[in-house]
Amino acid sequence: MADPLILALDQGTTSTRAILFDAQGRALAEAGRPLEQFYPADGWVEHDAEAIFQACVEVLREVVQKAARDMSEVAAIGITNQRETVVVWDRRTGKPIHRAIVWQDRRTAGACEKLRDAGREGQVTEITGLLLDPYFSGTKIAWLLDKVDGARTGAEAGDLLAGTIDAWVIWKLTGGKVHASDATNASRTLLFDIRNQAWSTEMGEMLGVPLTLMPQVRDCTGDFGETEAGLLGRAIPIRGVAGDQQAALMGQGCIRPGEMKATYGTGCFMLLNTGETPAPSRSRLLTTVAARVGGRTTYALEGAIFIAGAAVQWMNDGLQVGGGPQGVERLAMDARDDLGVVLVPAFTGLGAPWWDAGARGAIVGLTRDAGMPEIARAAFDASALQTRDLIEAMRADAPEAFHAKVEMRIDGGMSRSAWFSQRLADLTGVSVCRATYGETTALGAALFAGVGSGVYRDVEEAAAARPKTELFAPVMDTHRREAAYARWLDAVERVRS
C-alpha cells in the first residue's frame, strides 16, 4: 500500500490554499485562491464566509488532481486559519448573519476602551492571557449580536452558532454535524479560560456573549468529524486543527520549552514554547495556548512586531529604491559599519513590548557621511533589533525556558535572505535556524493531522518529519552587538509618545 497522504488547508487573510504532503513532510502539490477584502468603513475589514468555504472545497479538490493522486490515498485533513476572524451563522439555514469580521478590524476599539477604563483588563489577562484589544474575537461577536437585527434574540433562543474560521469551515465540511474548534483558536477569542481549558462564564458575561454560541473545544490532534462524501468524492477525516501561528510553531518543530519561532512578513509574530505552565507576562506579551495534544496543554508567549518587511517595502515605495527587497538588500550590504544609523519604523506605533500607539518613525544618527546604504541597512536591522526586544521580554517573563542552546527558528519572506538571517543572529546573539521549506504553517497543520490520524506515533515523530533547517550562528563580537542595541534603545526613547 502506498504511503498515506495528508491534506493541509491553509485559510489565510489574503488567500485560501491547500497543500498535499506525504508522510515524509514533502509537499507534492498546492493550489490557491485569492480572498477578496471588504472595507465598509474606516478601520473595518470583512470577508465573505460563504466564499471562503467555496474556495476551501475548490482548492482541496484541485491539489489532489494536480498531484495526480486519488482521494482514497488521503489519510486526513489538517486545517489552519487566520486566528481571530469570526463568523456568526444560523444553525438551521447554515447562512452567516453578516460577513466575517477580520482580525485586523478595529470597530470594537471603543468597547475595549470602556472595559479598560473600568479596570477590567487585569481580570481579562488573568483568565485569557490576552489584552483588551479589538484584535480578538469576543468583542466582534458581541458587536454582531447587538448590531444585526434579531441576532441577540436568535442567539438566546439557540438558533445561532459562532466560531473562528476553523469552526465555520469544519461545520460546513461536515454538513453541520460538527461544531468544534481547537484549543489554540479558542485561546484567541477573549472568551476562553486558558488554565481551565474551558469557555469562561465570567468572560461571556463581561463581553455579553452567550457561551451556547461557541464550539466544542478539542485537541489540535482531535477528531473533528469527516467531510461530507459528496464534497471531495469520499468522506475524509479531519484530524488536525491549529491557528496559523501555532501551526507554524509545530511546522518549525518547536514542541519543547525554550524552542521559539519568528515569522517575518509585513510584521513579525514570535512565539516561545513555555511548556505546560502558562507564563504570565510582565512585559505585556500574550500568554496563549501553543498546542493541546492527548489532553495535555502546552503554552507559549507571543509578541508581535508591527513593521518588519514593511520597512523594506517602505524603502522601495517611499524612498524609491528599485529592485524590490533584493534591491534594498544589495544597498544595505554596501553600508559602512561605523556610522550607527538607526531606523525606528514606528509608522503605526510600536508593538510589543512597548505598546505605544502614539510613537512615530524616525531615522536617528545621520551624518554627512551617511546615505541610502546606511538607511537600507537600518531598515533590515530594525527587524532584528525589535526581535531582540521580544527576546529580552520573553527572557524576563520565562527565564526557565531559556538555556544555553536556545535558538530561534525563522520563516516568512525576509527569512529567504541568507544575509538577513545572519544579521538577525548577530544582532540578537541567538543562533538562527532558517526553514528550507517556506510553508511551515500548512506543514504544521499536516503534522497535527498526521498525529491525529495515526500516520505519526506522536508529535516528536511528526516534528522529525519536517525538512532540514539551515543554521546561522552569531559571529559579531559582543561589544559591537551591545553597542548596536544601546543605540536602538536610545532611538526608541526618542520616538515614544
Side-chain angles (χ1 to χ4, degrees):
M1 181 180 169
D3 283 343
L5 305 178
I6 304 167
L7 263 174
L9 179 63
D10 183 354
Q11 203 301 295
T13 309
T14 58
S15 68
T16 301
R17 295 181 312 130
I19 303 179
L20 186 66
F21 290 93
D22 66 14
Q24 287 71 49
R26 292 184 297 241
L28 306 180
E30 65 178 89
R33 297 285 186 280
L35 178 56
E36 185 177 3
Q37 316 290 308
F38 298 93
Y39 305 100
D42 183 37
W44 294 24
V45 191
E46 297 177 354
H47 286 158
D48 182 335
E50 292 275 32
I52 285 174
F53 172 67
Q54 191 56 44
C56 289
V57 174
E58 289 172 5
V59 296
L60 288 169
R61 288 174 180 160
E62 183 182 327
V63 73
V64 176
Q65 292 167 357
K66 271 190 173 180
R69 306 300 284 262
D70 191 88
M71 283 288 181
S72 62
E73 300 176 72
V74 177
I77 293 173
I79 297 173
T80 184
N81 57 290
Q82 42 169 328
R83 293 178 295 181
E84 295 83 7
T85 299
V86 73
V87 188
V88 177
W89 67 96
D90 188 309
R91 70 158 73 233
R92 299 161 304 176
T93 65
K95 298 292 183 187
I97 66 168
H98 189 276
R99 285 190 192 129
I101 301 182
V102 179
W103 59 272
Q104 299 155 314
D105 190 282
R106 307 298 294 175
R107 76 186 66 186
T108 62
C112 293
E113 193 173 341
K114 278 184 185 173
L115 288 168
R116 247 193 324 272
D117 290 346
R120 308 299 293 273
E121 188 165 65
Q123 182 184 8
V124 169
T125 301
E126 174 63 27
I127 295 169
T128 70
L130 308 177
L131 303 173
L132 271 171
D133 194 277
Y135 174 37
F136 304 110
S137 315
T139 56
K140 294 176 168 67
I141 298 171
W143 186 94
L144 288 166
L145 297 183
D146 289 335
K147 301 298 183 183
V148 177
D149 284 347
R152 189 161 287 283
T153 303
E156 288 164 358
D159 295 335
L160 300 183
L161 300 174
T164 43
I165 291 293
D166 59 308
W168 161 249
V169 170
I170 290 164
W171 194 84
K172 294 287 281 184
L173 285 173
T174 61
K177 293 184 180 69
V178 177
H179 183 218
S181 183
D182 85 294
T184 68
N185 277 296
S187 75
R188 311 298 293 192
T189 61
L190 277 179
L191 294 165
F192 193 65
D193 186 325
I194 60 169
R195 287 169 179 79
N196 293 325
Q197 289 293 294
W199 297 116
S200 166
T201 303
E202 206 171 342
M203 288 306 306
E205 290 172 355
M206 186 191 300
L207 300 185
V209 175
L211 298 179
T212 51
L213 286 172
M214 303 308 292
Q216 287 185 352
V217 180
R218 301 181 181 178
D219 286 2
C220 300
T221 54
D223 181 345
F224 293 86
E226 297 182 334
T227 62
E228 281 199 296
L231 289 175
L232 303 174
R234 62 171 277 251
I236 300 176
I238 304 168
R239 293 294 183 268
V241 179
D244 53 9
Q245 299 306 320
Q246 283 92 338
L249 195 69
M250 177 64 181
Q252 287 279 26
C254 297
I255 58 174
R256 299 170 192 85
E259 294 178 330
M260 59 183 171
K261 75 92 194 174
T263 300
Y264 292 90
T266 300
C268 170
F269 285 98
M270 185 171 171
L271 276 76
L272 169 73
N273 186 321
T274 60
E276 294 185 46
T277 305
S281 177
R282 294 174 296 279
S283 311
R284 287 176 67 78
L285 301 176
L286 305 178
T287 303
T288 195
V289 173
R292 198 172 87 190
V293 177
R296 175 175 154 257
T297 305
T298 53
Y299 295 90
L301 282 170
E302 178 174 331
I305 296 168
F306 293 160
I307 302 291
V312 178
Q313 186 180 19
W314 170 75
M315 293 289 300
N316 291 136
D317 300 340
L319 299 186
Q320 304 298 303
V321 175
Q326 294 78 18
V328 183
E329 183 180 316
R330 285 191 295 272
L331 201 58
M333 292 168 76
D334 290 335
R336 281 175 54 176
D337 285 329
D338 59 334
L339 295 181
V341 175
V342 178
L343 167 66
V344 184
F347 304 145
T348 55
L350 288 167
W354 308 104
W355 294 111
D356 188 343
R360 286 298 174 262
I363 301 171
V364 178
L366 288 176
T367 63
R368 282 291 299 270
D369 296 333
M372 291 297 278
E374 286 70 35
I375 297 172
R377 179 174 291 186
F380 278 100
D381 286 357
S383 290
L385 293 161
Q386 289 178 103
T387 302
R388 170 80 184 263
D389 285 339
L390 292 181
I391 289 171
E392 295 304 325
M394 289 176 174
R395 198 190 303 272
D397 286 341
E400 66 287 347
F402 281 81
H403 45 76
K405 293 184 179 178
V406 70
E407 65 183 25
M408 179 167 52
R409 299 172 188 175
I410 66 170
D411 52 64
M414 292 183 77
S415 72
R416 297 188 190 111
S417 165
W419 177 82
F420 171 72
S421 300
Q422 183 61 56
R423 193 79 181 158
L424 182 63
D426 285 342
L427 289 171
T428 60
V430 171
S431 290
V432 167
C433 285
R434 178 171 67 156
T436 55
Y437 174 65
E439 303 298 340
T440 55
T441 302
L443 175 61
L447 295 178
F448 276 131
V451 175
S453 60
V455 173
Y456 308 114
R457 284 191 308 274
D458 49 33
V459 291
E460 286 78 12
E461 186 178 43
R466 65 195 177 91
K468 300 253 185 294
T469 57
E470 189 175 358
L471 179 67
F472 298 84
V475 294
M476 181 182 285
D477 69 71
T478 303
H479 174 75
R480 278 182 60 208
R481 177 185 306 122
E482 295 309 312
Y485 190 51
R487 286 194 299 272
W488 165 258
L489 293 176
D490 175 69
V492 168
E493 284 306 314
R494 293 169 187 265
V495 306
R496 292 186 68 187
S497 63

